[in-house]
Amino acid sequence: MLETVVKRDRDLGTPARTSEQLVTLTIDGQTISVPEGTSVMRAAAEAGINIPKLCATDSLEAFGSCRLCLVEIEGRRGYPASCTTPAENGMVVRTETPKLHDLRVGVMELYISDHPLDCLTCPANGDCELQDMAGAVGLRNVRYGYAGANHLQDAKDESNPYFSYDPSKCIVCNRCVRACEETQGTYALTISGKGFDSRVAAGQSEAFLDSECVSCGACVQACPTSTLQEKTVIMMGQAEHSVVTTCAYCGVGCGFKAEMKGQEVVRMVPWKDGQANRGHSCVKGRFAWGYTTHKDRVLKPMIRKRITDPWQEVSWDTAINYAASEFRRIQEKYGRDSVGGIASSRCTNEETWLVQKLVRAAFGNNNVDTCARVCHSPTGYGLKQTMGESAGTQTFDSVMHTDVIILIGANPSSGHPVFASRMKRRLRQGAKLIVVDPRRIELVDGAHVKADYHLPLRPGTNTALLSALAHVIVTEGLVNEAFVAERCDAKSFNEWREFVSRPENSPEAMAPITGVPADDIRGAARLYATGGNGSIYYGLGVTEHSQGSTTVMAIANLAMATGNIGREGVGVNPLRGQNNVQGSCDMGSFPHELPGYRHVSDDAVRGEFEADWGVTLQPEPGLRLPNMFDAAVSGSFKALYCQAEDIIQSDPDTQHVAAALSAMECVVVQDLFLTETAKYAHVFLPGSTFLEKDGTFTNAERRISRVRKVMEPRNGMSDWEVTVALSNALGYPMNYRDPGEIMDEIARLTPTFAGVSFEKIDRMGSLQWPCNDAAPDGTPIMHVDEFVRGKGRFMITRYVPTDERSNRRFPLLLTTGRILSQYNVGAQTRRTANVLWHHEDVLEIHPQDAEDRGVNEGDWVGIESRAGQTVLRATITERVQPGVVYTTFHFPQSGANVVTTDNADWATDCPEYKVTAVQVTRVTQPSEWQRQWTQFEDVQQKLLRERIREEASVTK
């Protein structure tokens, strides 16, 4: 277990350099060889010699302002700063001499002369670089005193809910400013004033909360004093041990050090060695973990006969046995296929493995699905068809080697901010950007990053646009013929070439359909095909369409045709929404696939599982999520085990999902809070948070990272133990001592995980599957020499207009997405201070559409579709184009999915969240659905508050 006494990660002063050319120098008598470009400071640090420093840190480029790191170099005049001086062959360096000692002491005197001497009561006491350096240089007195001007009475800025800014302790080292620029890329901080008046400022000397600061924490992490300090540290003091674990928010999968006092989290610090995040973080992972101990958590199992009954708190045994008896009763009455389960993309690989195993082995059917059905199931289908593997091709680091990025249907600044920071860094270095999105997202025309092309297509026309891009590449001779001839299937390529070459697929023909000028399409296609390493990153704006699978295949076609597969800087890269959506798919949470994406009808594969599990498995695919809902409404599907998914709020056509749950005789929900779905439950099994788990998550780059328990489950049981207990109560024995044994079973039965173990992950930090005998250390980049399926297969991707299109009754198109401070259905982030940035879902509407409807900023507007109606507050913006409106879905009372319809992807049933025909009108009161929701919410909260706090049985 990676658990240590808390200590600051060793800082080598300046970033590492990579070069095949080495230089050799002598430092304090030691001969050292380092890559060309390495600073003298880092060379010394790698030799174990620590030169004093304050402005230097190895996460930022050298700045050379603090003057503590001065050294003597033979043959050079003066005392150069070691952080900004490159090592050279033959250089002889001395880091400690009487003169250097005097210079450093003098510098430290100046710092301390304008710094509070409150070390004993300072929150950074024990973790302060200024304090450390005063000791390192031997400072023993300060000659200058406090008689002159100083900053000791400067007012604190407490506006940010997570950290405090105390300018009286600022030494103007510029590290926070540089971290905001280099690491985060927001440029929200600056140094205001000159000379003695210099101070760090947010924005135009605004409060932090009111500025452009995105609260990523990079500035707090960089600060060498307590100028910027977490409020939890101020309140609780320094931690005494730390545990390395993995964030449970988005699919980036950031590594963190949970710094602890006993069972209490003091702060979450981005892990410097985290291979997905490289020591960076966002506001959610860094600060929004307070939901773990929120008062709303339900910590005791509860049961009830009807959803109108009060809850009864019972023991774990009573709840588990009751749930099992209900599942058995229902199957005996209605048949084997009348029950099913939902595996969570928020839970670990080991936990989702057990859920699909429970459904297949204990329920005896394949009625299991996961939230990937409603987000990235088209990725699995489309990439499997073209390249042979259902996952992205690259590492996140790969973006630093790209020359041209196509970003389609994704807004990483909001959904994947740590990756967005890395992408923006590469763009500032000169990479080109093509944004394909109906909205003008931040990356289109940010203050420091601007897209070379923004293709603001009409929602629902992705496939048409990609066909037009392909038309240009083929008809203008931009195909990488050598790559295609060597790596791809000739027959499918020739058929595809003929198809996209047709005049009806030209940019000119597609322009009236997509709304994108033909010249822009041609320019973007040429840039991608000829600009060097070309990479494609995409999100739910690709998959959540009626042609989601078609669009994924069209993306793969483009990458193969241009040879942008199989090396760094290229590839097809889906940005996964939830922390373990990739893992839940890998673990076999789909009704038609066993783990490793192998079809249930394959006798040989099924035989392996049957031999290991000691049970006969069904060869026919089970019900998908939408099928379960339809079957429940029609009366044939009667019971559901739902692990940590809020399907009422997250799935489309909310009223249909509610009707399905209401029709079931037993709904078992395992979650942290009484979610919208849990309000329809008959059995509530308290879940555990990621801080209470042991296991693994798999992120969007196929990276398997350890999740380590930092505190005991407050509910008394880990999620994997709950599923095991339910299976045992159903009569199918599961016997595991710990999650490591579950991973051993995963490795035994899943070829792509054959070489994975907790021991190997602990040793290597993380692993990217496939990890097996052919790739014992994992596979950072897929399809290097050949595609997984052998030859790359081109697919015909004919544009078929969605049935969900605007008309006279519903003239606008609604599309949905996410916002930085909130996450998915908001169950976690709404229970943190993140609500200060986003406390309600709003409807973005273009000024022209607002004017046509008499809508002003902040008005309440009704949004009506053929599925339902809701009411939101309007905000008028040119981020959306005329004819398009946009909202998020983080708050249950907003009812965004009340209006989304049952239209879905043709291949996978992934809902078409991104295209809903609506009408928007000014209103003065909530919708009928919202009134009903409020009444139902009041009743369910009352039943929760009045729960009977003693063991009882509702079966009597």
Side-chain angles (χ1 to χ4, degrees):
M1 183 175 185
L2 287 184
E3 181 169 344
T4 61
V5 175
V6 171
K7 61 180 180 179
R8 196 180 301 127
D9 288 328
R10 184 160 185 252
D11 192 322
L12 302 183
T14 61
R17 301 302 184 205
T18 55
S19 173
E20 295 181 0
Q21 189 72 33
L22 296 180
V23 297
T24 301
L25 68 162
T26 301
I27 303 179
D28 292 344
Q30 291 189 50
T31 300
I32 303 163
S33 294
V34 293
E36 189 176 37
T38 300
S39 71
V40 168
M41 175 181 284
R42 188 177 182 101
E46 290 181 357
I49 301 167
N50 296 316
I51 300 174
K53 64 186 186 303
L54 278 173
C55 72
T57 177
D58 57 15
S59 64
L60 302 170
E61 292 299 325
F63 193 59
S65 69
C66 77
R67 313 314 293 170
L68 271 189
C69 72
L70 307 179
V71 293
E72 291 183 359
I73 301 175
E74 282 189 7
R76 292 198 186 183
R77 296 178 60 188
Y79 304 93
S82 61
C83 64
T84 56
T85 303
E88 296 177 3
N89 273 318
M91 185 179 274
V92 177
V93 180
R94 284 183 289 276
T95 69
E96 189 65 43
T97 67
K99 182 60 177 177
L100 290 173
H101 172 80
D102 291 344
L103 288 170
R104 289 171 184 158
V105 168
V107 169
M108 282 302 303
E109 280 191 87
L110 293 173
Y111 281 122
I112 300 303
S113 70
D114 190 15
H115 196 84
L117 296 181
D118 59 351
C119 291
L120 290 179
T121 56
C122 177
N125 187 21
D127 186 32
C128 174
E129 293 180 51
L130 184 66
Q131 190 179 66
D132 294 345
M133 290 305 105
V137 304
L139 180 66
R140 295 295 176 263
N141 59 77
V142 178
R143 291 170 290 172
Y144 307 113
Y146 294 104
N150 59 57
H151 300 88
L152 301 183
Q153 303 305 314
D154 285 6
K156 293 181 183 179
D157 179 355
E158 302 281 8
S159 62
N160 190 285
Y162 295 122
F163 60 84
S164 171
Y165 170 54
D166 183 353
S168 73
K169 297 185 177 179
C170 181
I171 61 173
V172 200
C173 65
N174 222 279
R175 273 166 56 167
C176 59
V177 177
R178 288 147 56 210
C180 191
E181 295 174 358
E182 296 177 28
T183 305
Q184 169 57 29
T186 298
Y187 292 78
L189 303 183
T190 187
I191 300 295
S192 68
K194 295 180 180 180
F196 179 78
D197 294 327
S198 298
R199 271 297 175 266
V200 172
Q204 299 297 312
S205 297
E206 303 162 276
F208 266 82
L209 189 64
D210 300 328
S211 72
E212 293 179 346
C213 169
V214 293
S215 297
C216 68
C219 60
V220 182
Q221 183 79 356
C223 182
T225 68
S226 65
T227 306
L228 290 160
Q229 184 65 271
E230 296 95 334
K231 291 183 175 179
T232 50
V233 174
I234 296 172
M235 179 179 65
M236 299 174 67
Q238 296 296 327
E240 48 84 17
H241 75 277
S242 67
V243 182
V244 173
T245 190
T246 302
C247 181
Y249 279 117
C250 77
V252 173
C254 295
F256 276 89
K257 275 188 174 181
E259 295 195 350
M260 308 290 297
K261 268 191 169 182
Q263 294 272 304
E264 297 293 324
V265 178
V266 175
R267 63 180 175 181
M268 298 290 287
V269 178
W271 187 29
K272 187 174 180 178
D273 295 329
Q275 292 162 320
N277 58 315
R278 303 296 181 191
H280 190 33
S281 61
C282 79
V283 62
K284 294 189 285 290
R286 184 75 158 86
F287 297 117
W289 40 267
Y291 67 89
T292 302
T293 54
H294 195 275
K295 61 181 178 60
D296 287 352
R297 271 192 74 180
V298 181
L299 299 174
K300 300 289 186 182
M302 304 186 299
I303 57 178
R304 59 184 176 179
K305 189 68 175 178
R306 294 170 296 274
I307 68 169
T308 53
D309 293 339
W311 284 105
Q312 299 185 44
E313 279 189 1
V314 297
S315 68
W316 273 106
D317 285 345
T318 300
I320 293 292
N321 289 331
Y322 177 67
S325 67
E326 283 293 276
F327 283 128
R328 285 196 299 267
R329 176 187 68 79
I330 288 167
Q331 285 189 298
E332 289 171 3
K333 183 176 181 180
Y334 299 103
R336 182 191 65 203
D337 296 329
S338 60
V339 303
I342 298 175
S344 176
S345 291
R346 297 191 187 100
C347 290
T348 65
N349 287 317
E350 294 73 20
E351 290 160 351
T352 56
W353 174 275
L354 292 185
V355 171
Q356 62 86 29
K357 181 178 181 179
L358 176 139
V359 171
R360 293 190 161 103
F363 288 172
N365 61 46
N366 288 313
N367 293 340
V368 63
D369 213 340
T370 184
C371 83
R373 172 69 54 210
V374 299
C375 61
H376 265 291
S377 51
T379 285
Y381 181 87
L383 296 185
K384 187 82 170 181
Q385 294 296 312
T386 51
M387 299 180 186
E389 194 56 88
S390 301
T393 63
Q394 310 294 123
T395 65
F396 289 140
D397 286 341
S398 177
V399 76
M400 297 307 295
H401 301 273
T402 196
D403 299 306
V404 181
I405 299 168
I406 293 181
L407 182 66
I408 176 169
N411 185 5
S413 300
S414 293
H416 306 85
V418 171
F419 172 72
S421 294
R422 202 170 312 173
M423 176 184 283
K424 287 190 282 189
R425 190 183 314 155
R426 180 58 185 156
L427 292 171
R428 293 195 301 272
Q429 291 174 355
K432 305 298 184 182
L433 176 64
I434 300 162
V435 173
V436 183
D437 199 296
R439 295 175 73 233
R440 185 175 289 276
I441 63 173
E442 181 250 359
L443 287 169
V444 170
D445 55 1
H448 305 282
V449 170
K450 296 185 186 298
D452 295 85
Y453 288 93
H454 177 212
L455 310 182
L457 75 175
R458 291 195 182 99
T461 62
N462 286 334
T463 300
L465 181 74
L466 289 167
S467 292
L469 291 171
H471 177 93
V472 176
I473 290 168
V474 167
T475 59
E476 294 190 4
L478 305 179
V479 171
N480 187 328
E481 300 287 355
F483 180 91
V484 171
E486 179 185 355
R487 300 282 306 274
C488 301
D489 173 67
K491 181 175 183 296
S492 65
F493 171 71
N494 289 329
E495 290 172 349
W496 176 79
R497 185 203 293 266
E498 187 278 326
F499 164 72
V500 296
S501 297
R502 296 174 188 171
E504 59 263 32
N505 288 318
S506 69
E508 289 72 22
M510 288 300 186
I513 294 170
T514 64
V516 179
D519 286 347
D520 287 350
I521 296 175
R522 288 189 177 275
R526 292 164 185 154
L527 177 60
Y528 173 68
T530 65
N533 285 341
S535 57
I536 303 176
Y537 293 86
Y538 70 89
L540 305 187
V542 161
T543 55
E544 292 178 344
H545 286 272
S546 62
Q547 281 201 287
S549 294
T550 310
T551 304
V552 172
M553 292 187 289
I555 288 171
N557 290 342
L558 274 187
M560 292 189 295
T562 55
N564 281 308
I565 288 289
R567 63 184 186 277
E568 279 198 306
V570 299
V572 174
N573 307 281
L575 297 174
R576 304 287 190 156
Q578 295 194 58
N579 56 299
N580 202 37
V581 71
Q582 180 68 60
S584 68
C585 300
D586 299 341
M587 295 300 100
S589 299
F590 286 136
H592 67 291
E593 288 177 335
L594 289 162
Y597 305 97
R598 293 165 295 169
H599 204 277
V600 295
S601 64
D602 189 316
D603 293 341
V605 172
R606 208 170 57 256
E608 293 177 22
F609 284 86
E610 290 175 338
D612 196 274
W613 291 355
V615 67
T616 301
L617 301 180
Q618 296 302 310
E620 296 296 326
L623 298 176
R624 297 173 173 178
L625 267 174
N627 307 138
M628 293 183 197
F629 301 150
D630 292 343
V633 171
S634 66
S636 60
F637 189 82
K638 292 294 187 179
L640 179 69
Y641 171 43
C642 182
Q643 180 199 56
E645 290 293 346
D646 193 359
I647 53 178
I648 283 282
Q649 191 178 338
S650 64
D651 283 38
D653 199 351
T654 298
Q655 295 175 97
H656 180 62
V657 179
L661 291 178
S662 298
M664 296 182 198
E665 294 186 9
C666 182
V667 175
V668 178
V669 171
Q670 185 174 337
D671 217 317
L672 303 175
F673 308 102
L674 193 74
T675 62
E676 300 305 296
T677 302
K679 293 169 188 173
Y680 290 84
H682 306 91
V683 180
F684 184 89
L685 304 176
S688 52
T689 70
F690 81 108
L691 294 173
E692 301 160 329
K693 291 180 185 288
D694 196 25
T696 57
F697 292 151
T698 306
N699 74 351
E701 48 176 1
R702 296 169 285 103
R703 187 180 301 282
I704 310 160
S705 299
R706 286 282 275 114
V707 183
R708 295 180 179 88
K709 184 187 297 185
V710 307
M711 61 177 68
E712 289 303 311
R714 299 180 70 228
N715 61 347
M717 289 184 74
S718 295
D719 285 340
W720 71 271
E721 295 175 304
V722 175
T723 306
V724 165
L726 180 57
S727 184
N728 290 336
L730 285 164
Y732 178 77
M734 290 187 185
N735 299 297
Y736 304 97
R737 288 174 296 182
D738 55 58
E741 288 191 349
I742 305 171
M743 176 52 77
D744 292 342
E745 181 176 299
I746 294 168
R748 187 166 67 244
L749 292 171
T750 312
T752 49
F753 277 66
V756 178
S757 68
F758 280 17
E759 182 279 327
K760 182 180 279 189
I761 298 173
D762 289 344
R763 177 162 38 89
M764 299 187 65
S766 67
L767 292 167
Q768 287 176 271
W769 67 259
C771 179
N772 46 33
D773 289 343
D777 293 336
T779 309
I781 297 176
M782 295 282 286
H783 316 296
V784 173
D785 297 315
E786 65 176 2
F787 289 98
V788 171
R789 71 180 308 278
K791 295 289 188 179
R793 180 186 181 194
F794 285 81
M795 302 295 291
I796 302 299
T797 54
R798 184 173 289 103
Y799 168 63
V800 177
T802 174
D803 292 335
E804 190 66 20
R805 52 187 106 172
S806 57
N807 53 34
R808 182 172 296 179
R809 182 182 176 191
F810 302 119
L812 303 175
L813 292 178
L814 169 70
T815 188
T816 63
R818 300 183 180 183
I819 201 162
L820 171 64
S821 60
Q822 295 294 332
Y823 172 70
N824 201 263
V825 298
Q828 295 146 280
T829 44
R830 280 187 282 109
R831 291 175 170 89
T832 71
N834 281 28
V835 293
L836 287 176
W837 288 282
H838 186 78
H839 66 278
E840 65 177 343
D841 295 317
V842 297
L843 186 80
E844 293 185 3
I845 186 169
H846 189 272
Q848 184 60 59
D849 292 324
E851 182 179 349
D852 290 346
R853 290 160 175 78
V855 173
N856 298 309
E857 179 69 25
D859 282 350
W860 292 105
V861 291
I863 305 100
E864 183 180 9
S865 73
R866 62 181 173 87
Q869 183 185 37
T870 193
V871 171
L872 297 174
R873 198 184 304 275
T875 186
I876 300 171
T877 175
E878 292 188 351
R879 284 193 297 265
V880 291
Q881 57 186 285
V884 176
V885 291
Y886 171 88
T887 191
T888 51
F889 58 97
H890 304 303
F891 291 81
Q893 63 268 36
S894 300
N897 283 322
V898 171
V899 296
T900 53
T901 68
D902 59 0
N903 213 35
D905 174 50
W906 62 272
T908 65
D909 279 341
C910 182
E912 191 168 40
Y913 292 107
K914 303 307 181 192
V915 189
T916 303
V918 299
Q919 178 60 288
V920 173
T921 55
R922 189 176 178 185
V923 297
T924 57
Q925 58 186 1
S927 69
E928 178 60 28
W929 176 85
Q930 285 168 317
R931 285 193 289 270
Q932 293 174 2
W933 179 87
T934 300
Q935 293 171 1
F936 185 66
E937 164 75 2
D938 290 344
V939 168
Q940 291 301 315
Q941 290 298 334
K942 182 173 182 289
L943 294 174
L944 179 65
R945 288 193 303 271
E946 296 176 353
R947 59 190 180 272
I948 301 169
R949 301 176 186 275
E950 61 184 22
E951 291 195 9
S953 173
V954 297
T955 59
K956 295 179 180 178

